[in-house]
Amino acid sequence: MLDELNAAQKEAAIHIDGPMLILAGAGSGKTKTLTTRLAYLIGEVGIDPINTLTLTFTNKAANEMRQRALNLIGTKNLNTMPLLCTFHKFGLLFLKLHINKLNRNNNFNIIDTDDKKALLKKIMKELDIDLPLSFVASEISTYKNILLDPQEIKQKAEIDEYKKVAKIYENYQNNLLENNLVDFDDLLALPYQILSQDEKLRIQTSQKYQYIMVDEYQDTNELQFKLLELLASEHQNICVVGDDDQSIYGWRGANIKNILDFNKHYPNAKVVKLQINYRSTQEILDAANKLIEHNRNRLGKKLISHKGNGDKIEIFHSLDESFEANTIAHKIKELLNRGTAPNEIAVLYRINALSRSLEEGFNKANLAYKLVGGIRFYERAEIKDIISYLRVISNKNDDFSLLRIINKPKRGIGPSSVQKLITLAKEKNLSLFNTLKLEETQALLSKKAYTQIQDFIAKIELLEKEKEDLNTLIELFNEHIPLKEYYANMNDGFERILNIDEFYGYFKERTLQEKLSLEQFLSDIALESDQDNLTQNAINIMSIHASKGLEFEHVFIIGLEEEFFPLLGDGCDIEEERRLAYVAFTRAKNNLYLSYVDSRFYRGKRQKVQKSRFLEESGVLKGSLKQDKKASFKRGDLVKHKIFGIGRVQEVNKSGKNYKLKINFGGMKKEILSSFVEPV
DNA sequence: TGGGTCACGGTTTTT
DNA sequence: CCGTGACCCA
């Protein structure tokens, strides 16, 4: 199995004990190296698969690696299976076994980002606090990532704003506990908490996972780093793979320092660099290399193509976004006529808003495309409704889920009725479901609402009886809960009903094939996103983030303009923007096309835009820097003129489209147009 | 309670 | 420009 690898890949694959950092540039065979190492450990060295742990960020990556590793080893020879999963799935599995150490029951539910936001919103309303929701949500996430509980945050908070957040955090945590919910951060934070408190369990767990591998290490956050530290504490057999130049998730907590400082944390770490790129032509890699060299915060490496030079990068300059879309559509048609498969073409952009003009242009040109990303299947309201029903059927005391569906379809229970029910439930110290069964509720609800609620209770209990036979359960569900009718009346009802049917089909298939219980199915899908979105015969259009890990023969990047890409504004990190461009460039196998416009229509306004600095930094457009600097001379700047030499700017005046500078060249004063001098 | 209207605000996304 | 959510009235 090692014959397939190059020297550096092989060196990494056969390293057995001790920490190792594999710096794997884009397209350098990262997955191949990692899977071969796993196969080597199991198939050649003789490590029991059960003693390995391989962690990834996405289910897709986990599945792909599992398949490839098992192919190398041959499943026939295995008695146990290696654990290969996402960080969060690992957290889930761990908590199912050990959350009782925190005095919690392991029938907890996982809430997603939307649920979290909805809960926070409710809490903020109750507390009468008005802060931006996204700010509160990310603050709380940060707190969990640095492992501070509400009490500690309360003590630390000095500014009023943060005291308020601390209050919300406290309420939020209580709410999660009351409903036995965990959020995505908890899936990492709680295992860490348990492992750091329980010495014996820590040793036992670390000894179980003798060989740990981590994919996309540049995207790990603080908590993942610390968790890994505990897991590897007994043996330090931790092998991480990543590319510091492809760290593009800083805004959601990824800490690039984890990869930059890996040697400091593990001084005896072996470092292997994979720099031979099997994906792209040298022409593309030169641009990517040149661009990324403008970053300071990096370990430094240079990609060398295995494929040779290839075609020049093409630049499209258009008047506005509709011309841009036309130009690209035209070029794509040319490619298709030459026999290029549509799924070998991708159009990438920095922000999703740019997809609209593209879609319009493609529709006009009759080009079939597939928009990757957007609203995810499990985040659609209709799907979350069914899941909430299933959660209530699985656990009738799940108030959180019950509240979502109590009035879906409409049963005459509005916000004020709900409030009354909650008050009563608190008074009686009962779950909402049990409260609904009380005599007293009759007085709280209208006659119609009360009858419908009794009907609702009866149906849930009826469905509950079928928990063992999930095929029947979902059939009965469809029959008794008229969700389809509820959604049919909406303007996008048709699509929603299709989604509902798709879910039913998926539910039957998964539970039957994998013999899952209702509980297992529910916790599994909480950590699943849409699987592989790419289709066979359409052009893919998507954000650059969504393109990570993918590759295409032809890649178009649109919107290469200042303020669109790089995206400027507060909280922006120019180096991360550059890494994003690096990721985008390196998706291309053979041809890269870069596009910019003079003006763009955005948020209801047309605005003039400047071409992106990345075009010049990557060396694909020469001299744009000089032009852009035209306006940026100010009094006191030193400048250089071809004839007069070096002088100092005394005055800047506008002269039509240009700037006229009054410059003092060693006592000789001249008025010169700004384009004739260069900054010194 | 539920349908309708108006003001507002708006990166990137996986789990 | 377009989607979401607050607010108002039947």
Side-chain angles (χ1 to χ4, degrees), chain A residues 463-512:
Chain A
L463 290 166
E464 194 194 1
K465 291 203 189 92
E466 303 297 333
K467 255 164 97 172
E468 300 308 313
D469 181 359
L470 296 179
N471 207 44
T472 313
L473 178 107
I474 209 74
E475 298 281 346
L476 283 178
F477 180 86
N478 187 26
E479 197 178 308
H480 287 287
I481 312 285
L483 266 184
K484 281 193 197 169
E485 280 112 273
Y486 172 75
Y487 279 108
N489 301 324
M490 300 188 173
N491 43 11
D492 50 358
F494 182 70
E495 198 190 332
R496 287 173 188 268
I497 285 170
L498 283 181
N499 290 333
I500 292 176
D501 282 330
E502 189 181 336
F503 181 85
Y504 289 160
Y506 181 72
F507 178 87
K508 286 185 194 173
E509 193 188 303
R510 273 294 297 275
T511 51
L512 194 75

Coordinates of all heavy atoms in Angstrom, one line a residue, chain A residues 463-512:
Chain A
L463 N -48.9 7.0 18.4 CA -47.6 6.8 17.7 C -46.5 6.2 18.6 O -45.7 5.4 18.1 CB -47.2 8.1 17.1 CG -48.1 8.7 16.0 CD1 -47.8 10.1 15.7 CD2 -47.9 7.8 14.7
E464 N -46.6 6.6 19.8 CA -45.6 6.1 20.7 C -45.6 4.6 20.8 O -44.5 4.0 21.0 CB -45.8 6.7 22.1 CG -44.7 6.6 23.1 CD -45.1 6.9 24.5 OE1 -46.3 7.2 24.7 OE2 -44.2 6.8 25.4
K465 N -46.7 4.0 20.7 CA -46.9 2.5 20.8 C -46.1 1.8 19.6 O -45.8 0.7 19.7 CB -48.3 2.1 20.7 CG -49.1 2.5 21.9 CD -50.4 1.7 22.1 CE -51.3 2.2 23.2 NZ -52.3 3.1 22.6
E466 N -45.9 2.6 18.5 CA -45.2 2.0 17.4 C -43.7 2.2 17.4 O -43.1 2.1 16.3 CB -45.8 2.5 16.1 CG -47.3 2.3 15.9 CD -47.7 0.8 15.9 OE1 -46.8 0.0 15.5 OE2 -48.8 0.5 16.4
K467 N -43.1 2.6 18.5 CA -41.7 3.0 18.5 C -40.8 1.9 18.1 O -39.7 2.1 17.6 CB -41.3 3.4 20.0 CG -41.2 4.9 20.2 CD -41.2 5.3 21.6 CE -39.8 5.4 22.2 NZ -39.9 6.0 23.6
E468 N -41.3 0.7 18.2 CA -40.4 -0.5 17.8 C -40.5 -0.7 16.3 O -39.5 -1.3 15.7 CB -40.8 -1.7 18.6 CG -40.7 -1.6 20.1 CD -39.4 -1.1 20.5 OE1 -38.4 -1.6 20.1 OE2 -39.4 -0.2 21.4
D469 N -41.6 -0.4 15.7 CA -41.8 -0.6 14.3 C -41.8 0.7 13.6 O -42.8 1.3 13.3 CB -43.1 -1.4 14.1 CG -43.3 -1.7 12.6 OD1 -42.4 -1.3 11.8 OD2 -44.3 -2.3 12.3
L470 N -40.6 1.2 13.2 CA -40.5 2.6 12.7 C -41.2 2.8 11.3 O -41.6 3.9 11.0 CB -39.0 3.0 12.7 CG -38.4 3.0 14.1 CD1 -37.0 3.4 14.0 CD2 -39.2 4.0 15.0
N471 N -41.2 1.7 10.6 CA -41.9 1.8 9.3 C -43.4 2.2 9.5 O -43.9 3.1 8.8 CB -41.7 0.5 8.5 CG -41.8 0.7 7.0 OD1 -41.2 1.7 6.5 ND2 -42.5 -0.1 6.3
T472 N -44.0 1.4 10.3 CA -45.4 1.7 10.7 C -45.6 3.1 11.3 O -46.5 3.8 11.0 CB -46.0 0.6 11.6 OG1 -45.6 -0.6 11.1 CG2 -47.5 0.7 11.8
L473 N -44.6 3.4 12.2 CA -44.7 4.7 12.9 C -44.8 5.8 11.9 O -45.7 6.7 12.0 CB -43.5 4.9 13.8 CG -43.5 6.2 14.5 CD1 -43.8 6.0 16.0 CD2 -42.1 6.9 14.4
I474 N -43.9 5.8 10.9 CA -43.9 6.9 10.0 C -45.1 6.9 9.1 O -45.6 8.0 8.7 CB -42.5 7.0 9.2 CG1 -42.2 8.4 8.8 CG2 -42.5 6.1 8.0 CD1 -41.7 9.3 9.9
E475 N -45.6 5.8 8.7 CA -46.9 5.7 7.9 C -48.0 6.3 8.7 O -48.8 7.1 8.2 CB -47.2 4.2 7.6 CG -46.2 3.5 6.7 CD -46.3 3.8 5.3 OE1 -47.3 4.4 4.9 OE2 -45.3 3.5 4.5
L476 N -48.1 5.9 10.0 CA -49.2 6.4 10.8 C -49.1 7.9 11.0 O -50.0 8.6 11.1 CB -49.2 5.7 12.2 CG -49.8 4.3 12.2 CD1 -49.7 3.7 13.6 CD2 -51.3 4.3 11.7
F477 N -47.8 8.3 11.2 CA -47.6 9.7 11.4 C -48.1 10.5 10.2 O -48.8 11.5 10.4 CB -46.0 9.9 11.5 CG -45.7 11.4 11.7 CD1 -45.7 11.9 13.0 CD2 -45.3 12.2 10.7 CE1 -45.3 13.2 13.2 CE2 -45.0 13.5 10.9 CZ -45.0 14.0 12.2
N478 N -47.8 10.1 9.0 CA -48.2 10.8 7.8 C -49.8 10.8 7.8 O -50.4 11.8 7.3 CB -47.6 10.0 6.6 CG -47.9 10.8 5.3 OD1 -48.1 12.0 5.3 ND2 -48.0 10.0 4.2
E479 N -50.4 9.7 8.2 CA -51.8 9.6 8.2 C -52.5 10.5 9.2 O -53.5 11.2 8.9 CB -52.1 8.1 8.5 CG -53.5 7.7 8.1 CD -53.7 6.2 8.4 OE1 -52.8 5.4 8.0 OE2 -54.6 5.8 9.2
H480 N -51.9 10.6 10.4 CA -52.6 11.2 11.5 C -52.2 12.7 11.7 O -53.0 13.5 12.3 CB -52.4 10.4 12.8 CG -53.2 9.2 12.9 ND1 -54.5 9.1 13.0 CD2 -52.8 7.9 12.7 CE1 -55.0 7.9 13.0 NE2 -53.9 7.1 12.8
I481 N -51.0 13.0 11.4 CA -50.6 14.4 11.6 C -50.6 15.2 10.3 O -49.8 14.9 9.4 CB -49.2 14.5 12.2 CG1 -49.0 13.5 13.4 CG2 -48.8 15.9 12.6 CD1 -49.7 13.9 14.7
P482 N -51.6 16.0 10.1 CA -51.7 16.6 8.7 C -50.8 17.8 8.5 O -51.2 18.9 8.1 CB -53.2 17.1 8.8 CG -53.5 17.4 10.2 CD -52.6 16.5 11.0
L483 N -49.5 17.5 8.6 CA -48.5 18.5 8.3 C -48.5 18.9 6.9 O -48.3 20.1 6.5 CB -47.1 18.0 8.7 CG -46.6 18.3 10.1 CD1 -45.2 17.8 10.2 CD2 -46.6 19.8 10.4
K484 N -48.7 17.9 6.0 CA -48.7 18.2 4.6 C -49.7 19.2 4.2 O -49.5 20.2 3.5 CB -48.8 16.9 3.8 CG -47.6 16.1 3.6 CD -47.8 15.1 2.6 CE -46.7 14.0 2.7 NZ -47.1 12.8 1.8
E485 N -50.9 19.0 4.7 CA -52.0 19.9 4.5 C -51.7 21.3 5.0 O -52.0 22.3 4.4 CB -53.3 19.4 5.1 CG -54.0 18.4 4.3 CD -54.0 17.0 5.1 OE1 -53.1 16.3 4.9 OE2 -55.0 16.8 5.8
Y486 N -51.1 21.3 6.1 CA -50.7 22.6 6.8 C -49.8 23.4 5.8 O -49.9 24.6 5.7 CB -50.0 22.3 8.1 CG -49.4 23.5 8.8 CD1 -50.2 24.5 9.4 CD2 -48.1 23.7 8.8 CE1 -49.7 25.6 10.0 CE2 -47.5 24.8 9.4 CZ -48.3 25.7 10.0 OH -47.7 26.8 10.7
Y487 N -48.8 22.7 5.3 CA -47.9 23.4 4.4 C -48.4 23.6 3.0 O -47.9 24.4 2.3 CB -46.5 22.6 4.4 CG -45.7 23.0 5.6 CD1 -45.5 22.0 6.6 CD2 -45.1 24.2 5.7 CE1 -44.7 22.4 7.7 CE2 -44.4 24.6 6.8 CZ -44.2 23.6 7.8 OH -43.4 23.9 8.9
A488 N -49.3 22.7 2.6 CA -49.8 22.8 1.2 C -50.4 24.2 0.8 O -50.2 24.6 -0.3 CB -50.9 21.7 1.0
N489 N -51.0 24.9 1.8 CA -51.6 26.2 1.5 C -50.6 27.3 1.3 O -50.9 28.4 0.9 CB -52.5 26.5 2.6 CG -53.6 25.5 2.8 OD1 -54.0 24.9 1.8 ND2 -54.0 25.2 4.0
M490 N -49.3 27.0 1.7 CA -48.3 28.1 1.6 C -47.9 28.2 0.1 O -48.0 27.3 -0.7 CB -47.1 27.8 2.5 CG -47.6 27.7 3.9 SD -46.2 27.6 5.0 CE -47.0 27.7 6.5
N491 N -47.3 29.4 -0.2 CA -46.9 29.6 -1.6 C -45.8 28.6 -2.1 O -45.8 28.3 -3.3 CB -46.6 31.0 -1.9 CG -45.8 31.7 -0.9 OD1 -45.3 31.0 0.0 ND2 -45.6 33.0 -0.9
D492 N -44.9 28.2 -1.2 CA -43.9 27.3 -1.7 C -44.3 25.9 -1.1 O -43.4 25.0 -0.9 CB -42.5 27.7 -1.2 CG -42.5 28.0 0.3 OD1 -43.5 28.0 0.9 OD2 -41.4 28.3 0.8
G493 N -45.6 25.6 -1.0 CA -46.1 24.4 -0.4 C -45.6 23.1 -1.2 O -45.3 22.1 -0.6
F494 N -45.6 23.3 -2.5 CA -45.3 22.1 -3.3 C -43.9 21.6 -2.9 O -43.7 20.4 -2.7 CB -45.3 22.5 -4.8 CG -45.0 21.3 -5.7 CD1 -45.9 20.3 -5.8 CD2 -43.8 21.3 -6.4 CE1 -45.7 19.2 -6.7 CE2 -43.6 20.2 -7.3 CZ -44.5 19.2 -7.4
E495 N -42.9 22.5 -2.9 CA -41.6 22.1 -2.6 C -41.5 21.5 -1.1 O -40.8 20.5 -0.9 CB -40.7 23.3 -2.7 CG -39.2 23.0 -2.8 CD -38.4 24.3 -2.6 OE1 -38.9 25.4 -3.0 OE2 -37.2 24.1 -2.2
R496 N -42.2 22.1 -0.2 CA -42.2 21.6 1.2 C -42.7 20.2 1.3 O -42.2 19.4 2.0 CB -43.0 22.6 2.1 CG -42.3 23.9 2.3 CD -43.2 24.8 3.0 NE -42.7 26.2 3.1 CZ -41.9 26.6 4.1 NH1 -41.6 25.8 5.1 NH2 -41.5 27.8 4.1
I497 N -43.8 19.9 0.5 CA -44.3 18.6 0.6 C -43.3 17.6 0.0 O -43.2 16.5 0.5 CB -45.7 18.5 -0.2 CG1 -46.7 19.2 0.7 CG2 -46.1 17.1 -0.5 CD1 -48.0 19.5 0.1
L498 N -42.6 18.0 -1.1 CA -41.6 17.1 -1.6 C -40.5 16.8 -0.6 O -40.1 15.7 -0.4 CB -40.9 17.8 -2.8 CG -41.7 17.8 -4.1 CD1 -40.8 18.5 -5.2 CD2 -42.0 16.4 -4.6
N499 N -40.2 17.9 0.2 CA -39.2 17.7 1.2 C -39.7 16.7 2.3 O -38.9 15.9 2.8 CB -38.8 19.0 1.9 CG -38.0 19.9 1.0 OD1 -37.3 19.4 0.1 ND2 -38.2 21.2 1.2
I500 N -40.9 16.9 2.7 CA -41.5 16.0 3.7 C -41.5 14.5 3.2 O -41.0 13.6 4.0 CB -43.0 16.4 4.0 CG1 -42.9 17.8 4.7 CG2 -43.7 15.4 4.9 CD1 -44.3 18.4 5.0
D501 N -41.9 14.3 2.0 CA -41.8 12.9 1.5 C -40.4 12.4 1.4 O -40.2 11.2 1.7 CB -42.5 12.9 0.1 CG -44.0 12.9 0.2 OD1 -44.5 12.4 1.2 OD2 -44.7 13.4 -0.7
E502 N -39.5 13.3 1.0 CA -38.1 12.9 0.9 C -37.6 12.4 2.3 O -36.9 11.4 2.5 CB -37.2 14.0 0.4 CG -35.8 13.5 0.1 CD -34.9 14.7 -0.4 OE1 -35.4 15.7 -0.9 OE2 -33.7 14.5 -0.2
F503 N -38.0 13.2 3.3 CA -37.7 12.8 4.7 C -38.2 11.5 5.1 O -37.5 10.7 5.7 CB -38.1 13.9 5.7 CG -37.7 13.6 7.1 CD1 -36.4 13.9 7.6 CD2 -38.6 13.0 8.0 CE1 -36.0 13.6 8.9 CE2 -38.2 12.6 9.3 CZ -36.9 13.0 9.7
Y504 N -39.5 11.3 4.8 CA -40.1 10.0 5.2 C -39.4 8.8 4.5 O -39.1 7.8 5.2 CB -41.6 9.9 4.7 CG -42.6 10.8 5.4 CD1 -43.8 11.2 4.8 CD2 -42.3 11.3 6.7 CE1 -44.7 12.0 5.5 CE2 -43.2 12.1 7.4 CZ -44.4 12.5 6.8 OH -45.2 13.3 7.4
G505 N -39.0 9.0 3.3 CA -38.3 8.0 2.6 C -36.9 7.7 3.2 O -36.5 6.6 3.5
Y506 N -36.3 8.8 3.5 CA -34.9 8.7 4.2 C -35.0 8.0 5.5 O -34.2 7.2 5.9 CB -34.4 10.1 4.3 CG -33.0 10.2 4.9 CD1 -31.9 9.7 4.2 CD2 -32.8 10.6 6.2 CE1 -30.6 9.7 4.7 CE2 -31.5 10.6 6.8 CZ -30.4 10.2 6.0 OH -29.2 10.2 6.6
F507 N -36.1 8.4 6.3 CA -36.3 7.8 7.6 C -36.4 6.3 7.5 O -35.8 5.6 8.2 CB -37.5 8.5 8.2 CG -37.9 7.9 9.6 CD1 -37.4 8.5 10.7 CD2 -38.8 6.9 9.7 CE1 -37.7 8.0 12.0 CE2 -39.2 6.4 10.9 CZ -38.6 6.9 12.1
K508 N -37.3 5.9 6.6 CA -37.5 4.4 6.4 C -36.2 3.7 6.0 O -35.9 2.7 6.6 CB -38.5 4.2 5.3 CG -39.9 4.5 5.7 CD -40.9 4.1 4.6 CE -42.3 4.7 4.8 NZ -43.2 4.5 3.7
E509 N -35.5 4.3 5.1 CA -34.3 3.7 4.6 C -33.2 3.5 5.7 O -32.7 2.5 5.9 CB -33.8 4.5 3.4 CG -32.7 3.8 2.6 CD -32.1 4.8 1.6 OE1 -32.9 5.4 0.8 OE2 -30.9 5.0 1.6
R510 N -33.0 4.7 6.3 CA -31.9 4.7 7.3 C -32.2 3.7 8.5 O -31.4 2.9 8.9 CB -31.7 6.1 7.9 CG -30.8 7.0 7.2 CD -29.4 6.5 7.2 NE -28.7 6.5 8.5 CZ -28.2 7.5 9.1 NH1 -28.1 8.7 8.5 NH2 -27.6 7.4 10.3
T511 N -33.5 3.8 9.0 CA -33.8 3.0 10.2 C -33.8 1.5 9.9 O -33.4 0.7 10.7 CB -35.1 3.5 10.8 OG1 -36.1 3.5 9.8 CG2 -35.0 4.8 11.5
L512 N -34.2 1.2 8.6 CA -34.3 -0.2 8.3 C -32.9 -0.7 8.0 O -32.5 -1.7 8.6 CB -35.2 -0.3 7.0 CG -35.6 -1.7 6.6 CD1 -36.7 -2.1 7.6 CD2 -36.1 -1.7 5.2

